[in-house]
Amino acid sequence: MGIEIVLKYFPDITEEQKEQFGQLENLYKDWNQKINVVSRKDIDELYIRHVLHSLGIAKIQQFLPGSKVMDVGTGGGFPGIPLAILFPETHFTLVDSIGKKIKVVEEVVEGLGITNVTSINSRVEEINEQFDFIVSRAVASMPTFTHWVKGKIKKESIHERRNGILYLKGGDLSEELQDYRTAEIFNLPNYFEEDFFATKKVVYLPQKFRG
């Protein structure tokens, strides 16, 4: 399953975006042989397990031109790179504490020719900047994650949805989210029909974490 799975759910993308999404497989296969950032079993299902999963965030939130999004613990560039392709006028800052992963991000971004991505090899706690939204893919429990990103979300919102966290998670989140009364959970099977998404979710946590 390749780029056709992206086109199935995002049919209105431009020719340039189609080309960029189409390049992802070869770029990641090439770099994965040098630096293993995507598990070997996942690389063959890159478009479902990584690209489309990342784009689940776009089903919940469309990012406006000029907005700023930070991807925390981006690994090889997920969800940040697919979102950066989809929203070329939004600026994405991709952060990871592991240098070899950021190396892959830089090479993939260069290979795609996209200019709306900044990659930083750092712990997120050391980033002194504020963003409209912070995205991530299950790098820590929500209490840990909110501690890491405290003070890094802009107070003034330009989107209809208040600024906050958009977090890709799976499984039963009731215990993890019990203290977050303002959290909203969006089940990805409502947007994608493939079996992979059966337990996958996007958690939205507005800027004031406790309701």
Side-chain angles (χ1 to χ4, degrees), residues 41-207:
K41 70 180 191 307
D42 277 7
I43 198 78
D44 292 329
E45 295 188 62
L46 183 79
Y47 283 94
I48 287 182
R49 290 174 173 264
H50 296 281
V51 180
L52 195 60
H53 189 207
S54 297
L55 295 176
I57 288 173
K59 289 294 186 183
I60 311 308
Q61 180 64 51
Q62 299 278 303
F63 299 118
L64 291 173
S67 57
K68 292 169 62 180
V69 177
M70 178 166 64
D71 175 7
V72 174
T74 188
F78 301 104
I81 287 177
L83 291 171
I85 294 173
L86 195 64
F87 300 104
E89 294 181 43
T90 295
H91 191 83
F92 291 83
T93 298
L94 276 54
V95 180
D96 204 286
S97 61
I98 300 173
K100 69 177 184 178
K101 293 183 176 180
I102 288 296
K103 169 72 172 168
V104 172
V105 168
E106 289 170 348
E107 295 294 340
V108 170
V109 166
E110 185 178 337
L112 293 170
I114 55 178
T115 58
N116 60 326
V117 171
T118 299
S119 53
I120 301 176
N121 178 202
S122 171
R123 292 166 57 85
V124 65
E125 298 96 318
E126 294 162 8
I127 303 294
N128 295 312
E129 205 176 332
Q130 288 193 321
F131 301 85
D132 297 280
F133 285 96
I134 294 176
V135 300
S136 191
R137 191 163 68 152
V139 293
S141 69
M142 193 61 86
T144 300
F145 190 77
T146 55
H147 177 70
W148 288 349
V149 302
K150 190 175 181 182
K152 301 187 193 309
I153 299 170
K154 292 181 183 177
K155 288 187 170 59
E156 297 297 319
S157 300
I158 61 171
H159 300 82
E160 283 188 27
R161 179 175 278 125
R162 197 193 316 167
N163 293 350
I165 292 168
L166 292 161
Y167 206 37
L168 290 161
K169 294 280 276 183
D172 182 358
L173 304 177
S174 51
E175 188 175 333
E176 184 175 333
L177 297 176
Q178 63 185 354
D179 291 334
Y180 298 97
R181 286 175 286 166
T182 55
E184 288 182 58
I185 298 173
F186 299 87
N187 294 307
L188 285 179
N190 292 336
Y191 306 92
F192 304 138
E193 63 184 13
E194 286 70 25
D195 291 344
F196 172 74
F197 298 103
T199 62
K200 300 287 190 290
K201 303 168 178 68
V202 176
V203 179
Y204 163 62
L205 205 53
Q207 199 248 338

